[in-house]
Amino acid sequence: MIALGLTAYWMFTPHVVRVRISTTTSLYQTGLLDRLAERFEEKHHHVTFEFIAVGTGRALKLAERGDVCAVFVHAPRLEEAYVERGVIVGGRIFAYNYFVIVGPSSDPAGIRGSESAAEAFRRIYRAGEGGRALFVSRGDNSGTHVRELSIWRLAGLDPQGRPWYKEAGQGMAETLVMADEMMAYTLSDISTFLSLKEKGRLTNLEVLYSGGEELINIYSAYVVESCGGAERMYAEEFIEFAAGPEGQEIVASYGEEEFGRPLFSPAASRLQELKALWEKLAGAQG
Amino acid sequence: MSIVEEVLEITLRSLAVSGTATLLASTWSVPLAYILAKPGRLRGLIASILEALVGIPTVLLGLALYMLFSRSGVLGFLHLLYTAKAIVVGQAILVTPLITVTACRVLKSARESFEEMALALGADDLQAMAIALRESLPGVASSVVMGFSRAVGELGIALMLGGNIRGATRVLTTAIALSVSMGEYDLALYLGAILVAISVLVSVTVKLLEEVQGP
Amino acid sequence: MIIELKGVWFAYPGSRRYALRGVHMRVEGGRVVMIEGPNGAGKTTLLKVLALLYRPVKGAVLVNGDDYWSLDPRTQLSLRRRVVYVHERPILLRGSVLENVALGLKLRGVPGAISGALETLRAMGLEYLAERKWRELSAGEAQLVSIARAVAVQPELLLLDEPMAHLDEDRRELLVEILRELKSRGVGIVVASHWPQDELLRIGIDRVVRVVGGEVRAL
C-alpha cells in the first residue's frame, strides 16, 4: 500500500527542484532574499529556494562541504579566500549599503561629526581608556566583525584585551541588544539596526556615524562549484535575476514601506566602482 | 593568549559557573524534594508541574530572565546582565525542576521505608530525616550530577544572560556555538569532546566516591 | 504500658478509602495478641496505628489513658520510644549488622550503644552476624537482625509484622524462644500474620484478633 502510494506520488507530482542557498543571518532577516525568490518563483513554477541563514563563516563552510548550491554574503576578504580555492564561482555584486557606527545618544566619546570611521574609532578608544565608553564587538569573524577589525587597523589601534572592549561572539541582533544594555558603541549593518529599533528593542542606541568608503557593505552572490544539474542551472538563473534589471528594481525599493527608507542600493549603476572597492576590501585586509 | 590557554580558561569557567549553579540549586531542590516526597494532593500537583518544567527550553528561560535582568527590567538595578553571576542564577533555576523531580523519586522510597523505620525505632523527626537523607545520598548525588550535566551542557541561558563575552562570560557551549557559526567545525568538536568528558568524569567521580564511602 | 484504640478510622493521605473502620482494641505489657486476617485487610495499618506512627482520621489512641495525639511532642516522643514496630520486609541501613542493631540505642543517646547491641546479638545467638554487611545477609538473617534491633532498645511493647515470613524452621523456633523470654519479662507482644502458625501458638497467645476489610473481630 505504502509503496503504491509513494509510486503514485512520484508519478503525479510535478518534479520540483529545490535549490539550497546559504546566507548570513543579517541579510536573511531583512527579507530581501525571500522577496527576490518569490518573484523568481512566480515565473518558474518548478523551483523552490531554501535559505539557510547562518553566520558568514558557516555559510561559506556549507558551500565548501557541498551542502548548498549558492551563497549570498557580504564579506569580501572571506569570499576571496573561497574564490581562490575554487569553492565558489561566478560572483555577482547585487547590492550595497553602509555600515553604521551606533552608540548611546549621549555620545560620550563624541564621535558625531568625525571626519572618518577611523577617526570615530580613535575617539571611542580614547574615551574607552578614559573609562567613559564601552565597545561591543561581534567577535565572531563575521563580515561585520572583519570590517570592524579593519577599521581599527586603519585607525592604527588594537583594542583587543582592553577592559572596555567586549567581544560578544554573537549575532548582530544580540550584539546590538548588548550594546544597548551596556550603553556601548558598536558597528552594525543598517538593516538589522533599523528593524530592531523599529521593534522598540533599542532604546539607547542611535546612528552616530555612517557613510564613506570605509563603511561600504557590498553584497555578492556566488554559485557553488560542486553543485550541478538542474539545481545549479536555477541557482545561476536566480543570481542573474537578482543582479539583472528586475532584481535591481526590487533591491532599490526594498524596505521603503517598513522603514520609510530603502535598506539597500542597487549595484548595477555603480558596478565598476563597487568592483574596485570589493577588490580593495578583499586584498587590503588579508 | 594562546588558543590552548583560552580553551583552558573557558573550560574552567564552565566548571565554576555550572558547578556553582548546581550546588546553589541543590540547596533548595533537595529540601523541596524531601517535602514533596510524601503523598498528598498539593504535593502531587507541585510535583507534576515540576515534572513538566524539566524540559523547558533554555532559550525561553533565558529570555524570561533577560527581561527581568535587563536595564529596563524589574531586577535591572542588580546589574547582573552579561555577567557570569547571571548565568549561575539562570542555570540554577533551569536545573531546579530536574534535581527536585529525580531526587524526589529517591527520597520518596527513602521516606516510606527508612524514615518510618527510624520513627518506629524511636527517632525524633530530625533524626528520622537525617537517616532518610543519608540512606538516599547516592540517589540524591546522581540527581545532582544530572543537574550539573544539564547546566554545563545548556546554551540558551549562557548566551542570553552571559552574552558569550570573551574572557568574561564565554563558556564551553557558547564557544561551541561560536565556532560552528564561524565554520570552525574542528574546534567545535574539540570543545564538544571536553564538554562530554567533563560530564562523564563528574558522574564517574561521584560513583567512585560512593563506592569508597562504602555499603 | 497500655495502648487502647477507641473507634479508630484511618485513611492514607490522598486516598478516600478507609483502611481501618471504627476499630476498638487494647494491647498491654506481658500479653501476646495475634492479629490475623487476609492480605490487604488492614493488619499492617493497624500495627502502625498501635505503634503510634499513624495518626487516625477519627477516633482516639489512648496511651496509659492519655489521648496520645493531643499530647505535646516531647511526651509523644518519650512514649513512642517505649513501643517498637518491626516491618515485614526488613529495612536495614548501609553498614554492619552491629551498627544496625545499635541504631535504636544511638537514637536514644544511650552511652555504649555498640556494646549493648553486641549483648543483644549474643543473647539471641546472632553474634556471628555482627560484622556482616547488610548486603551479605540472607532474607531470614535480615529479618532476625531487624528483630534484634527492636529488642535491643528493650521496648515495653513489641509489634511484629509477619515475623515468620522469611524464616526457616530452625529460625522460627529461635524466634519463638526469644518471644517467650520477652513475654516472661513483661513485654507486650503483638504479632500480625496472614495465616495461623503453630509455632506462634507456643508463645502463649492470650488473644487472637481477626481483621477483615478494616474492621476488627475478636475471636
Side-chain angles (χ1 to χ4, degrees):
Chain A
M1 253 333 259
I2 295 167
L4 215 77
L6 279 176
T7 318
Y9 178 84
W10 275 105
M11 281 173 68
F12 296 110
T13 314
H15 194 56
V16 173
V17 178
R18 300 191 312 171
V19 182
R20 289 211 172 83
I21 298 175
S22 64
T23 182
T24 65
T25 318
S26 59
L27 175 54
Y28 181 74
Q29 280 171 346
T30 63
L32 173 66
L33 296 182
D34 279 332
R35 174 73 61 87
L36 287 167
E38 226 168 81
R39 286 290 174 80
F40 186 83
E41 285 164 14
E42 275 169 20
K43 283 185 228 155
H44 305 78
H45 296 293
H46 299 325
V47 61
T48 170
F49 294 98
E50 296 177 345
F51 295 103
I52 299 161
V54 291
T56 311
R58 191 158 161 227
L60 289 161
K61 195 83 177 176
L62 287 173
E64 189 176 28
R65 296 178 69 93
D67 296 331
V68 293
C69 198
V71 283
F72 281 62
V73 284
H74 51 113
R77 189 175 64 84
L78 286 173
E79 293 160 29
E80 172 81 347
Y82 283 82
V83 169
E84 259 174 31
R85 275 191 276 148
V87 173
I88 49 176
V89 294
R92 294 289 297 267
I93 295 170
F94 68 96
Y96 72 95
N97 56 17
Y98 292 91
F99 286 109
V100 289
I101 303 174
V102 299
S105 43
S106 58
D107 190 16
I111 68 166
R112 273 196 192 95
S114 297
E115 276 165 17
S116 66
E119 175 57 28
F121 270 34
R122 265 184 227 116
R123 292 182 186 181
I124 291 170
Y125 191 100
R126 267 201 300 278
E129 291 295 308
R132 283 174 287 116
L134 295 172
F135 189 95
V136 183
S137 165
R138 287 279 296 270
D140 61 351
N141 207 24
S142 60
T144 312
H145 182 221
V146 168
R147 182 63 59 92
E148 177 217 313
L149 293 181
S150 82
I151 297 169
W152 285 117
R153 243 190 314 272
L154 275 174
L157 296 165
D158 178 14
Q160 263 214 6
R162 308 305 303 162
W164 51 270
Y165 183 78
K166 314 281 183 192
E167 288 181 71
Q170 292 204 71
M172 195 67 248
E174 292 84 356
T175 304
L176 279 166
V177 169
M178 275 176 82
D180 190 64
E181 283 286 342
M182 295 177 162
M183 300 284 216
Y185 291 89
T186 191
L187 182 73
S188 173
D189 64 283
I190 182 70
S191 48
T192 311
F193 175 77
L194 283 180
S195 79
L196 277 184
K197 188 87 183 165
E198 235 229 342
K199 287 175 196 143
R201 295 291 322 122
L202 306 174
T203 49
N204 304 314
L205 295 188
E206 271 181 26
V207 173
L208 298 174
Y209 183 89
S210 181
E213 210 175 89
E214 294 159 307
L215 291 185
I216 196 161
N217 188 10
I218 302 174
Y219 295 83
S220 304
Y222 298 84
V223 174
V224 175
E225 180 59 31
S226 62
C227 178
E231 202 181 344
R232 181 176 184 132
M233 187 188 83
Y234 280 120
E236 280 170 352
E237 261 185 63
F238 181 54
I239 292 172
E240 202 59 45
F241 168 81
E246 210 178 330
Q248 290 294 290
E249 206 174 293
I250 295 169
V251 168
S253 63
Y254 188 78
E256 244 171 358
E257 24 188 306
E258 201 177 338
F259 304 109
R261 53 174 285 193
L263 295 179
F264 303 91
S265 303
S269 53
R270 294 175 63 188
L271 205 53
Q272 288 316 311
E273 194 187 338
L274 288 170
K275 271 182 181 160
L277 282 170
W278 189 95
E279 291 291 344
K280 203 169 149 190
L281 288 167
Q285 298 155 29
Chain B
M1 202 174 355
S2 78
I3 182 82
V4 176
E5 278 174 324
E6 190 164 354
V7 167
L8 187 69
E9 185 229 43
I10 291 169
T11 305
L12 291 178
R13 183 176 299 112
S14 261
L15 275 171
V17 165
S18 300
T20 312
T22 309
L23 291 180
L24 190 64
S26 303
T27 61
W28 58 69
S29 298
V30 176
L32 180 61
Y34 185 82
I35 292 167
L36 294 177
K38 270 222 148 172
R41 282 250 174 86
L42 183 65
R43 288 182 165 100
L45 180 70
I46 296 172
S48 43
I49 290 172
L50 285 172
E51 266 167 45
L53 291 179
V54 164
I56 191 173
T58 58
V59 252
L60 183 62
L61 188 58
L63 178 63
L65 291 172
Y66 163 77
M67 305 286 255
L68 277 181
F69 291 155
S70 140
R71 195 177 280 270
S72 49
V74 183
L75 300 177
F77 65 92
L78 293 173
H79 298 293
L80 274 179
L81 196 61
Y82 304 131
T83 64
K85 278 187 207 137
I87 310 180
V88 169
V89 172
Q91 290 185 343
I93 294 170
L94 173 74
V95 300
T96 293
L98 180 67
I99 297 180
T100 307
V101 166
T102 51
C104 186
R105 263 180 219 148
V106 179
L107 288 168
K108 198 169 210 150
S109 68
R111 290 199 73 168
E112 276 162 15
S113 55
F114 294 111
E115 187 175 274
E116 196 179 86
M117 181 275 286
L119 289 173
L121 260 186
D124 61 34
D125 291 344
L126 273 177
Q127 288 174 327
M129 185 168 99
I131 286 173
L133 280 176
R134 200 183 70 122
E135 291 303 310
S136 38
L137 206 59
V140 171
S142 318
S143 40
V144 172
V145 168
M146 274 165 84
F148 174 77
S149 176
R150 168 111 161 112
V152 83
E154 75 79 32
L155 172 66
I157 289 164
L159 210 51
M160 294 206 66
L161 299 184
N164 190 26
I165 298 170
R166 186 177 183 188
T169 60
R170 186 162 300 169
V171 292
L172 282 169
T173 50
T174 59
I176 290 170
L178 177 60
S179 318
V180 170
S181 83
M182 285 162 62
E184 291 176 4
Y185 292 179
D186 291 347
L187 180 60
L189 289 172
Y190 175 54
L191 291 166
I194 295 178
L195 185 69
V196 173
I198 285 176
S199 285
V200 171
L201 219 67
V202 167
S203 180
V204 170
T205 309
V206 169
K207 276 278 171 304
L208 284 179
L209 283 178
E210 280 163 16
E211 300 275 315
V212 170
Q213 196 208 13
Chain C
M1 188 181 208
I2 301 170
I3 297 184
E4 249 182 310
L5 307 190
K6 297 268 185 200
V8 162
W9 291 71
F10 181 82
Y12 284 91
S15 161
R16 293 215 177 118
R17 203 181 69 86
Y18 283 101
L20 295 178
R21 315 166 69 88
V23 170
H24 292 273
M25 194 177 164
R26 177 190 165 102
V27 294
E28 61 201 283
R31 309 290 286 277
V32 177
V33 177
M34 180 166 144
I35 299 174
E36 61 161 56
N39 277 327
K43 298 190 298 292
T44 297
T45 312
L46 179 55
L47 280 181
K48 288 179 180 174
V49 171
L50 286 170
L52 310 172
L53 294 172
Y54 286 177
R55 182 182 191 154
V57 179
K58 274 186 277 181
V61 180
L62 304 181
V63 180
N64 298 334
D66 294 325
D67 182 1
Y68 177 81
W69 291 102
S70 56
L71 296 170
D72 65 285
R74 271 184 117 178
T75 317
Q76 281 185 343
L77 179 64
S78 70
L79 287 174
R80 186 153 56 74
R81 283 189 164 164
R82 293 156 66 183
V83 186
V84 174
Y85 164 80
V86 180
H87 285 83
E88 176 182 354
R89 272 191 33 219
I91 299 167
L92 299 179
L93 304 184
R94 285 179 289 153
S96 69
V97 165
L98 193 58
E99 283 164 348
N100 266 286
V101 176
L103 179 65
L105 296 170
K106 274 189 195 152
L107 291 172
R108 285 165 177 74
V110 175
I114 290 286
S115 59
L118 198 58
E119 213 167 289
T120 304
L121 283 173
R122 202 173 290 150
M124 288 176 66
L126 298 173
E127 204 184 347
Y128 68 102
L129 289 175
E131 293 309 319
R132 290 260 197 100
K133 298 288 177 197
W134 66 289
R135 278 201 291 216
E136 300 160 359
L137 299 176
S138 71
E141 286 166 344
Q143 191 141 29
L144 284 179
V145 168
S146 72
I147 292 169
R149 183 171 59 186
V151 171
V153 301
Q154 301 180 339
E156 290 172 46
L157 277 177
L158 180 60
L159 310 167
L160 303 173
D161 203 348
E162 304 276 1
M164 301 291 189
H166 303 294
L167 303 184
D168 57 27
E169 218 180 315
D170 289 352
R171 292 211 168 102
R172 272 184 246 160
E173 206 58 46
L174 174 65
L175 181 60
V176 167
E177 283 306 314
I178 293 164
L179 295 181
R180 278 170 69 140
E181 161 76 17
L182 288 173
K183 187 192 176 189
S184 72
R185 280 199 266 144
V187 178
I189 297 170
V190 183
V191 177
S193 179
H194 70 281
W195 85 95
Q197 266 165 330
D198 295 343
E199 289 96 339
L200 287 173
L201 297 176
R202 291 197 290 106
I203 309 168
I205 290 177
D206 296 287
R207 200 148 45 92
V208 177
V209 165
R210 186 165 173 76
V211 183
V212 178
E215 292 179 30
V216 161
R217 294 166 200 167
L219 292 177

